[in-house]
Amino acid sequence: MNTFLGMPATPPRSPYGTGNLRGERTFPEAARGELRDEQLRGNLGRATRTIRAKRLHVTGELPDWEELREAGAAIKTDAMNRLPELLEQLEQKVTERGGTVHWARDGDEANRIVAGLIQETGSREVIKVKSMATQETGLNEHLESLGITPHETDLAELIVQLAHDRPSHILVPAIHRNRDEIRRIFLDGIPGVDPGLDNVPAHLAAAARAYLREKFMTTKVAVSGANFAVAETGTLSVVESEGNGRMCLTLPETLITVMGIEKVLPRFGDLEVFLQLLPRSSTGERMNPYTSMWTGVTPGDGPQDFHLVLLDNGRTAALADRIGREALNCIRCSACLNVCPVYERTGGHAYGSTYPGPIGAVLTPQLAGMHAADDDPNSSLPYASTLCGACFDACPVKIDIPSLLVELRHQNTEESGTTAEKLAMKAAAAVMKRPKLYTAAQRASGLGRAVAGRGGTISRLPAPFRGWSASRDTPAPPRQTFRAWLASDEGAATMRAAADEYTGPVPEDEK
């Protein structure tokens, strides 16, 4: 007797309508508005140019930089290949050291777990650091709906929060703001701030420091993310440059860390590689000013109640994609954003996701899907790229982002069903198979010269070709097709001259 156990289920993606992994508009629609913002483009241009220059300087100092990249890629690939085993080992080690591990299938479950843990403490406030995973799940909004006030402590995150804005960069969430805007945000959002506050960066930082110091000293619960987790020892690590992370990780009584499952590394020694790769690729520094590590609970030192929430939220679905799983190697350095010509001009908000830029255009569709709704905005993200390859060259763990974007475009085409583009391509194939029909079509295309502009291009094609001309100008058809030119006396003479130049003149007796 045979028992059919069924086929393995496809791993779930992040549920539609939850968290911040899907915008309300497609990338082209959102980008048009951002491109008209000259202040935004100026801010982004200055910031990304500065970071690029610093990164190139410090990576050029290392004679083994390429070997470090290879090592980082190999470690992450090994970790993804053994992810279930490593996560179980991590859970065991964290538990042995007095921590508690929670597993969250999606963002909603993670939010419920975190909110429940905070409510158990009786606290109505939390301080937060390195919280990109919680931005992904929409934790702040969830906590606020329950009457719990979250305080972002990273300076850029604080700016975004006080402005009721959204992050636009993985590393520098307020990269789209300049110092004058930040001054106005602080005057409006920080209680008791000096009304004479100017826009000097040191003075702005001091105002934020004074405001946050009181939160650090009085708030009993912290929520953090993690840059890395070590399966071998159960150690968690956060790297940062302001010291706010150290405050959040050591002063509160309860620490709750929300971490994507892809952040796990096999061995403690692997940190040696990533603590060289990450700072150079992200901030252009040789090392991070603050590197904090903790392993469970240490009696009398630091938080005495530690919880680790392991977040899936579509990561298992990405892992199941034989090609796309490479995106899970990302260490969130933002190097790909800083070299991307598309990101530099549109900024992060156009992507509609917590994860902008080239890696976001890959990772977001994998975590949340591209066809969860009609005209899903995520289906436009794989096309938000010139495929120039700069992101691949900059990535410290050598993620081949251009190839992943092409693969996602292929998947999008396969999943889209019958579209105007597919019908147009079928029609073109039918015409090109028939020489007489193809010749007639070429002659008819000459009519397009009548609608060409002065530059000899057609800026707007009729349906169903409108999508093509929406992002590029189309050259007007030539007055003479290549086949007609080749059959003419001029074409024949040109071809004979080219042949003579290549082989030498043909003797008269061989003509």
PDB file of all heavy atoms in Angstrom, residues 444-477:
ATOM      1  N   ALA A 444       5.606  50.488 -45.061  1.00  0.00           N
ATOM      2  CA  ALA A 444       4.569  51.190 -44.310  1.00  0.00           C
ATOM      3  C   ALA A 444       5.159  51.966 -43.137  1.00  0.00           C
ATOM      4  O   ALA A 444       4.640  53.024 -42.752  1.00  0.00           O
ATOM      5  CB  ALA A 444       3.527  50.197 -43.812  1.00  0.00           C
ATOM      6  N   SER A 445       6.240  51.439 -42.576  1.00  0.00           N
ATOM      7  CA  SER A 445       6.832  52.114 -41.418  1.00  0.00           C
ATOM      8  C   SER A 445       7.380  53.480 -41.776  1.00  0.00           C
ATOM      9  O   SER A 445       7.574  54.329 -40.893  1.00  0.00           O
ATOM     10  CB  SER A 445       7.944  51.254 -40.813  1.00  0.00           C
ATOM     11  OG  SER A 445       9.063  51.184 -41.685  1.00  0.00           O
ATOM     12  N   GLY A 446       7.633  53.706 -43.058  1.00  0.00           N
ATOM     13  CA  GLY A 446       8.129  55.008 -43.491  1.00  0.00           C
ATOM     14  C   GLY A 446       7.191  56.140 -43.147  1.00  0.00           C
ATOM     15  O   GLY A 446       7.605  57.302 -43.053  1.00  0.00           O
ATOM     16  N   LEU A 447       5.935  55.825 -42.940  1.00  0.00           N
ATOM     17  CA  LEU A 447       4.971  56.856 -42.561  1.00  0.00           C
ATOM     18  C   LEU A 447       5.305  57.469 -41.205  1.00  0.00           C
ATOM     19  O   LEU A 447       4.842  58.569 -40.884  1.00  0.00           O
ATOM     20  CB  LEU A 447       3.556  56.261 -42.527  1.00  0.00           C
ATOM     21  CG  LEU A 447       3.030  55.707 -43.869  1.00  0.00           C
ATOM     22  CD1 LEU A 447       1.690  55.012 -43.662  1.00  0.00           C
ATOM     23  CD2 LEU A 447       2.903  56.834 -44.892  1.00  0.00           C
ATOM     24  N   GLY A 448       6.080  56.747 -40.382  1.00  0.00           N
ATOM     25  CA  GLY A 448       6.441  57.250 -39.070  1.00  0.00           C
ATOM     26  C   GLY A 448       7.265  58.513 -39.122  1.00  0.00           C
ATOM     27  O   GLY A 448       7.329  59.264 -38.138  1.00  0.00           O
ATOM     28  N   ARG A 449       7.902  58.807 -40.282  1.00  0.00           N
ATOM     29  CA  ARG A 449       8.685  60.038 -40.384  1.00  0.00           C
ATOM     30  C   ARG A 449       7.810  61.273 -40.254  1.00  0.00           C
ATOM     31  O   ARG A 449       8.264  62.341 -39.844  1.00  0.00           O
ATOM     32  CB  ARG A 449       9.429  60.070 -41.721  1.00  0.00           C
ATOM     33  CG  ARG A 449      10.574  59.054 -41.821  1.00  0.00           C
ATOM     34  CD  ARG A 449      11.482  59.359 -43.001  1.00  0.00           C
ATOM     35  NE  ARG A 449      10.771  59.352 -44.267  1.00  0.00           N
ATOM     36  CZ  ARG A 449      10.544  58.261 -44.994  1.00  0.00           C
ATOM     37  NH1 ARG A 449      10.985  57.087 -44.560  1.00  0.00           N
ATOM     38  NH2 ARG A 449       9.893  58.336 -46.138  1.00  0.00           N
ATOM     39  N   ALA A 450       6.536  61.108 -40.564  1.00  0.00           N
ATOM     40  CA  ALA A 450       5.633  62.260 -40.526  1.00  0.00           C
ATOM     41  C   ALA A 450       5.373  62.748 -39.108  1.00  0.00           C
ATOM     42  O   ALA A 450       5.047  63.922 -38.897  1.00  0.00           O
ATOM     43  CB  ALA A 450       4.310  61.904 -41.207  1.00  0.00           C
ATOM     44  N   VAL A 451       5.520  61.851 -38.106  1.00  0.00           N
ATOM     45  CA  VAL A 451       5.242  62.250 -36.726  1.00  0.00           C
ATOM     46  C   VAL A 451       6.523  62.449 -35.916  1.00  0.00           C
ATOM     47  O   VAL A 451       6.450  62.712 -34.718  1.00  0.00           O
ATOM     48  CB  VAL A 451       4.357  61.188 -36.024  1.00  0.00           C
ATOM     49  CG1 VAL A 451       3.001  61.097 -36.690  1.00  0.00           C
ATOM     50  CG2 VAL A 451       5.043  59.827 -36.001  1.00  0.00           C
ATOM     51  N   ALA A 452       7.670  62.340 -36.572  1.00  0.00           N
ATOM     52  CA  ALA A 452       8.941  62.524 -35.864  1.00  0.00           C
ATOM     53  C   ALA A 452       9.167  63.995 -35.562  1.00  0.00           C
ATOM     54  O   ALA A 452       8.738  64.883 -36.300  1.00  0.00           O
ATOM     55  CB  ALA A 452      10.092  61.970 -36.693  1.00  0.00           C
ATOM     56  N   GLY A 453       9.837  64.255 -34.447  1.00  0.00           N
ATOM     57  CA  GLY A 453      10.161  65.623 -34.071  1.00  0.00           C
ATOM     58  C   GLY A 453      11.372  66.128 -34.827  1.00  0.00           C
ATOM     59  O   GLY A 453      11.931  65.462 -35.703  1.00  0.00           O
ATOM     60  N   ARG A 454      11.799  67.341 -34.470  1.00  0.00           N
ATOM     61  CA  ARG A 454      12.939  67.948 -35.156  1.00  0.00           C
ATOM     62  C   ARG A 454      14.225  67.161 -34.959  1.00  0.00           C
ATOM     63  O   ARG A 454      15.110  67.189 -35.802  1.00  0.00           O
ATOM     64  CB  ARG A 454      13.143  69.369 -34.637  1.00  0.00           C
ATOM     65  CG  ARG A 454      12.024  70.338 -35.043  1.00  0.00           C
ATOM     66  CD  ARG A 454      12.351  71.746 -34.605  1.00  0.00           C
ATOM     67  NE  ARG A 454      11.334  72.689 -35.042  1.00  0.00           N
ATOM     68  CZ  ARG A 454      11.381  74.000 -34.789  1.00  0.00           C
ATOM     69  NH1 ARG A 454      12.393  74.481 -34.074  1.00  0.00           N
ATOM     70  NH2 ARG A 454      10.413  74.794 -35.214  1.00  0.00           N
ATOM     71  N   GLY A 455      14.314  66.457 -33.834  1.00  0.00           N
ATOM     72  CA  GLY A 455      15.516  65.671 -33.594  1.00  0.00           C
ATOM     73  C   GLY A 455      15.533  64.344 -34.316  1.00  0.00           C
ATOM     74  O   GLY A 455      16.450  63.541 -34.131  1.00  0.00           O
ATOM     75  N   GLY A 456      14.529  64.089 -35.123  1.00  0.00           N
ATOM     76  CA  GLY A 456      14.483  62.828 -35.856  1.00  0.00           C
ATOM     77  C   GLY A 456      14.063  61.651 -35.005  1.00  0.00           C
ATOM     78  O   GLY A 456      14.379  60.505 -35.338  1.00  0.00           O
ATOM     79  N   THR A 457      13.341  61.914 -33.918  1.00  0.00           N
ATOM     80  CA  THR A 457      12.872  60.836 -33.052  1.00  0.00           C
ATOM     81  C   THR A 457      11.378  60.971 -32.796  1.00  0.00           C
ATOM     82  O   THR A 457      10.801  62.058 -32.896  1.00  0.00           O
ATOM     83  CB  THR A 457      13.606  60.852 -31.690  1.00  0.00           C
ATOM     84  OG1 THR A 457      13.364  62.102 -31.046  1.00  0.00           O
ATOM     85  CG2 THR A 457      15.094  60.654 -31.865  1.00  0.00           C
ATOM     86  N   ILE A 458      10.767  59.821 -32.431  1.00  0.00           N
ATOM     87  CA  ILE A 458       9.340  59.776 -32.086  1.00  0.00           C
ATOM     88  C   ILE A 458       9.261  59.619 -30.572  1.00  0.00           C
ATOM     89  O   ILE A 458       9.711  58.618 -30.026  1.00  0.00           O
ATOM     90  CB  ILE A 458       8.646  58.596 -32.787  1.00  0.00           C
ATOM     91  CG1 ILE A 458       8.820  58.705 -34.311  1.00  0.00           C
ATOM     92  CG2 ILE A 458       7.166  58.549 -32.423  1.00  0.00           C
ATOM     93  CD1 ILE A 458       8.356  57.490 -35.068  1.00  0.00           C
ATOM     94  N   SER A 459       8.697  60.622 -29.906  1.00  0.00           N
ATOM     95  CA  SER A 459       8.670  60.600 -28.448  1.00  0.00           C
ATOM     96  C   SER A 459       7.506  59.808 -27.876  1.00  0.00           C
ATOM     97  O   SER A 459       7.542  59.389 -26.726  1.00  0.00           O
ATOM     98  CB  SER A 459       8.629  62.032 -27.902  1.00  0.00           C
ATOM     99  OG  SER A 459       7.473  62.699 -28.380  1.00  0.00           O
ATOM    100  N   ARG A 460       6.469  59.583 -28.646  1.00  0.00           N
ATOM    101  CA  ARG A 460       5.300  58.870 -28.116  1.00  0.00           C
ATOM    102  C   ARG A 460       4.698  57.983 -29.205  1.00  0.00           C
ATOM    103  O   ARG A 460       4.197  58.487 -30.223  1.00  0.00           O
ATOM    104  CB  ARG A 460       4.258  59.861 -27.608  1.00  0.00           C
ATOM    105  CG  ARG A 460       3.096  59.192 -26.870  1.00  0.00           C
ATOM    106  CD  ARG A 460       2.185  60.248 -26.257  1.00  0.00           C
ATOM    107  NE  ARG A 460       1.042  59.664 -25.569  1.00  0.00           N
ATOM    108  CZ  ARG A 460       1.070  59.192 -24.334  1.00  0.00           C
ATOM    109  NH1 ARG A 460       2.199  59.220 -23.655  1.00  0.00           N
ATOM    110  NH2 ARG A 460      -0.013  58.686 -23.766  1.00  0.00           N
ATOM    111  N   LEU A 461       4.754  56.681 -28.986  1.00  0.00           N
ATOM    112  CA  LEU A 461       4.179  55.725 -29.923  1.00  0.00           C
ATOM    113  C   LEU A 461       2.729  55.443 -29.549  1.00  0.00           C
ATOM    114  O   LEU A 461       2.337  55.572 -28.383  1.00  0.00           O
ATOM    115  CB  LEU A 461       4.977  54.421 -29.900  1.00  0.00           C
ATOM    116  CG  LEU A 461       6.391  54.466 -30.492  1.00  0.00           C
ATOM    117  CD1 LEU A 461       7.132  53.170 -30.176  1.00  0.00           C
ATOM    118  CD2 LEU A 461       6.351  54.698 -32.002  1.00  0.00           C
ATOM    119  N   PRO A 462       1.916  55.019 -30.499  1.00  0.00           N
ATOM    120  CA  PRO A 462       0.532  54.658 -30.177  1.00  0.00           C
ATOM    121  C   PRO A 462       0.483  53.305 -29.469  1.00  0.00           C
ATOM    122  O   PRO A 462       1.453  52.540 -29.480  1.00  0.00           O
ATOM    123  CB  PRO A 462      -0.138  54.575 -31.550  1.00  0.00           C
ATOM    124  CG  PRO A 462       0.978  54.202 -32.477  1.00  0.00           C
ATOM    125  CD  PRO A 462       2.198  54.900 -31.955  1.00  0.00           C
ATOM    126  N   ALA A 463      -0.643  53.005 -28.809  1.00  0.00           N
ATOM    127  CA  ALA A 463      -0.841  51.689 -28.201  1.00  0.00           C
ATOM    128  C   ALA A 463      -0.773  50.626 -29.292  1.00  0.00           C
ATOM    129  O   ALA A 463      -1.187  50.873 -30.430  1.00  0.00           O
ATOM    130  CB  ALA A 463      -2.187  51.646 -27.494  1.00  0.00           C
ATOM    131  N   PRO A 464      -0.222  49.436 -29.031  1.00  0.00           N
ATOM    132  CA  PRO A 464       0.239  48.948 -27.717  1.00  0.00           C
ATOM    133  C   PRO A 464       1.721  49.190 -27.459  1.00  0.00           C
ATOM    134  O   PRO A 464       2.302  48.522 -26.622  1.00  0.00           O
ATOM    135  CB  PRO A 464      -0.061  47.451 -27.825  1.00  0.00           C
ATOM    136  CG  PRO A 464       0.210  47.143 -29.260  1.00  0.00           C
ATOM    137  CD  PRO A 464      -0.230  48.354 -30.034  1.00  0.00           C
ATOM    138  N   PHE A 465       2.322  50.109 -28.245  1.00  0.00           N
ATOM    139  CA  PHE A 465       3.766  50.328 -28.131  1.00  0.00           C
ATOM    140  C   PHE A 465       4.109  51.498 -27.208  1.00  0.00           C
ATOM    141  O   PHE A 465       5.246  51.908 -27.124  1.00  0.00           O
ATOM    142  CB  PHE A 465       4.349  50.590 -29.520  1.00  0.00           C
ATOM    143  CG  PHE A 465       3.988  49.548 -30.536  1.00  0.00           C
ATOM    144  CD1 PHE A 465       3.041  49.806 -31.515  1.00  0.00           C
ATOM    145  CD2 PHE A 465       4.576  48.292 -30.499  1.00  0.00           C
ATOM    146  CE1 PHE A 465       2.703  48.840 -32.442  1.00  0.00           C
ATOM    147  CE2 PHE A 465       4.249  47.322 -31.423  1.00  0.00           C
ATOM    148  CZ  PHE A 465       3.296  47.598 -32.399  1.00  0.00           C
ATOM    149  N   ARG A 466       3.101  52.006 -26.504  1.00  0.00           N
ATOM    150  CA  ARG A 466       3.302  53.189 -25.670  1.00  0.00           C
ATOM    151  C   ARG A 466       4.302  52.932 -24.545  1.00  0.00           C
ATOM    152  O   ARG A 466       5.034  53.811 -24.124  1.00  0.00           O
ATOM    153  CB  ARG A 466       1.950  53.627 -25.113  1.00  0.00           C
ATOM    154  CG  ARG A 466       1.918  55.042 -24.562  1.00  0.00           C
ATOM    155  CD  ARG A 466       0.479  55.485 -24.371  1.00  0.00           C
ATOM    156  NE  ARG A 466      -0.201  55.617 -25.657  1.00  0.00           N
ATOM    157  CZ  ARG A 466      -1.525  55.519 -25.820  1.00  0.00           C
ATOM    158  NH1 ARG A 466      -2.294  55.251 -24.774  1.00  0.00           N
ATOM    159  NH2 ARG A 466      -2.069  55.657 -27.012  1.00  0.00           N
ATOM    160  N   GLY A 467       4.312  51.703 -24.032  1.00  0.00           N
ATOM    161  CA  GLY A 467       5.238  51.384 -22.953  1.00  0.00           C
ATOM    162  C   GLY A 467       6.688  51.528 -23.368  1.00  0.00           C
ATOM    163  O   GLY A 467       7.550  51.883 -22.559  1.00  0.00           O
ATOM    164  N   TRP A 468       6.972  51.247 -24.639  1.00  0.00           N
ATOM    165  CA  TRP A 468       8.342  51.386 -25.134  1.00  0.00           C
ATOM    166  C   TRP A 468       8.760  52.854 -25.153  1.00  0.00           C
ATOM    167  O   TRP A 468       9.827  53.224 -24.674  1.00  0.00           O
ATOM    168  CB  TRP A 468       8.441  50.788 -26.536  1.00  0.00           C
ATOM    169  CG  TRP A 468       9.771  50.978 -27.184  1.00  0.00           C
ATOM    170  CD1 TRP A 468      10.176  52.011 -27.958  1.00  0.00           C
ATOM    171  CD2 TRP A 468      10.887  50.098 -27.093  1.00  0.00           C
ATOM    172  NE1 TRP A 468      11.475  51.849 -28.356  1.00  0.00           N
ATOM    173  CE2 TRP A 468      11.942  50.677 -27.843  1.00  0.00           C
ATOM    174  CE3 TRP A 468      11.117  48.884 -26.448  1.00  0.00           C
ATOM    175  CZ2 TRP A 468      13.185  50.078 -27.959  1.00  0.00           C
ATOM    176  CZ3 TRP A 468      12.366  48.282 -26.571  1.00  0.00           C
ATOM    177  CH2 TRP A 468      13.375  48.876 -27.322  1.00  0.00           C
ATOM    178  N   SER A 469       7.913  53.722 -25.691  1.00  0.00           N
ATOM    179  CA  SER A 469       8.274  55.128 -25.827  1.00  0.00           C
ATOM    180  C   SER A 469       8.134  55.900 -24.521  1.00  0.00           C
ATOM    181  O   SER A 469       8.571  57.046 -24.424  1.00  0.00           O
ATOM    182  CB  SER A 469       7.424  55.794 -26.909  1.00  0.00           C
ATOM    183  OG  SER A 469       6.050  55.715 -26.593  1.00  0.00           O
ATOM    184  N   ALA A 470       7.548  55.285 -23.486  1.00  0.00           N
ATOM    185  CA  ALA A 470       7.405  55.983 -22.207  1.00  0.00           C
ATOM    186  C   ALA A 470       8.752  56.232 -21.552  1.00  0.00           C
ATOM    187  O   ALA A 470       8.904  57.175 -20.770  1.00  0.00           O
ATOM    188  CB  ALA A 470       6.511  55.177 -21.272  1.00  0.00           C
ATOM    189  N   SER A 471       9.759  55.408 -21.859  1.00  0.00           N
ATOM    190  CA  SER A 471      11.056  55.552 -21.206  1.00  0.00           C
ATOM    191  C   SER A 471      12.204  55.792 -22.181  1.00  0.00           C
ATOM    192  O   SER A 471      13.351  55.874 -21.763  1.00  0.00           O
ATOM    193  CB  SER A 471      11.358  54.299 -20.370  1.00  0.00           C
ATOM    194  OG  SER A 471      11.312  53.146 -21.180  1.00  0.00           O
ATOM    195  N   ARG A 472      11.905  55.902 -23.471  1.00  0.00           N
ATOM    196  CA  ARG A 472      12.976  56.140 -24.455  1.00  0.00           C
ATOM    197  C   ARG A 472      12.400  56.747 -25.719  1.00  0.00           C
ATOM    198  O   ARG A 472      11.236  56.512 -26.054  1.00  0.00           O
ATOM    199  CB  ARG A 472      13.690  54.822 -24.783  1.00  0.00           C
ATOM    200  CG  ARG A 472      12.741  53.771 -25.310  1.00  0.00           C
ATOM    201  CD  ARG A 472      13.427  52.463 -25.611  1.00  0.00           C
ATOM    202  NE  ARG A 472      13.888  51.793 -24.427  1.00  0.00           N
ATOM    203  CZ  ARG A 472      13.104  51.099 -23.598  1.00  0.00           C
ATOM    204  NH1 ARG A 472      11.797  51.013 -23.831  1.00  0.00           N
ATOM    205  NH2 ARG A 472      13.584  50.490 -22.545  1.00  0.00           N
ATOM    206  N   ASP A 473      13.204  57.529 -26.410  1.00  0.00           N
ATOM    207  CA  ASP A 473      12.795  58.048 -27.710  1.00  0.00           C
ATOM    208  C   ASP A 473      13.065  57.000 -28.785  1.00  0.00           C
ATOM    209  O   ASP A 473      14.027  56.231 -28.703  1.00  0.00           O
ATOM    210  CB  ASP A 473      13.567  59.324 -28.052  1.00  0.00           C
ATOM    211  CG  ASP A 473      13.129  60.504 -27.201  1.00  0.00           C
ATOM    212  OD1 ASP A 473      11.973  60.485 -26.748  1.00  0.00           O
ATOM    213  OD2 ASP A 473      13.926  61.428 -27.005  1.00  0.00           O
ATOM    214  N   THR A 474      12.212  56.977 -29.802  1.00  0.00           N
ATOM    215  CA  THR A 474      12.329  56.005 -30.882  1.00  0.00           C
ATOM    216  C   THR A 474      12.814  56.702 -32.149  1.00  0.00           C
ATOM    217  O   THR A 474      12.193  57.681 -32.585  1.00  0.00           O
ATOM    218  CB  THR A 474      10.968  55.346 -31.159  1.00  0.00           C
ATOM    219  OG1 THR A 474      10.471  54.764 -29.956  1.00  0.00           O
ATOM    220  CG2 THR A 474      11.101  54.275 -32.239  1.00  0.00           C
ATOM    221  N   PRO A 475      13.918  56.245 -32.752  1.00  0.00           N
ATOM    222  CA  PRO A 475      14.383  56.878 -33.990  1.00  0.00           C
ATOM    223  C   PRO A 475      13.328  56.764 -35.093  1.00  0.00           C
ATOM    224  O   PRO A 475      12.659  55.745 -35.221  1.00  0.00           O
ATOM    225  CB  PRO A 475      15.644  56.078 -34.350  1.00  0.00           C
ATOM    226  CG  PRO A 475      16.056  55.412 -33.075  1.00  0.00           C
ATOM    227  CD  PRO A 475      14.805  55.152 -32.313  1.00  0.00           C
ATOM    228  N   ALA A 476      13.171  57.831 -35.838  1.00  0.00           N
ATOM    229  CA  ALA A 476      12.234  57.785 -36.964  1.00  0.00           C
ATOM    230  C   ALA A 476      12.750  56.799 -38.012  1.00  0.00           C
ATOM    231  O   ALA A 476      13.966  56.629 -38.176  1.00  0.00           O
ATOM    232  CB  ALA A 476      12.094  59.165 -37.579  1.00  0.00           C
ATOM    233  N   PRO A 477      11.871  56.097 -38.731  1.00  0.00           N
ATOM    234  CA  PRO A 477      12.312  55.171 -39.777  1.00  0.00           C
ATOM    235  C   PRO A 477      13.134  55.896 -40.836  1.00  0.00           C
ATOM    236  O   PRO A 477      12.843  57.051 -41.172  1.00  0.00           O
ATOM    237  CB  PRO A 477      11.000  54.649 -40.365  1.00  0.00           C
ATOM    238  CG  PRO A 477       9.983  54.876 -39.298  1.00  0.00           C
ATOM    239  CD  PRO A 477      10.401  56.107 -38.598  1.00  0.00           C
TER     240      PRO A 477
END
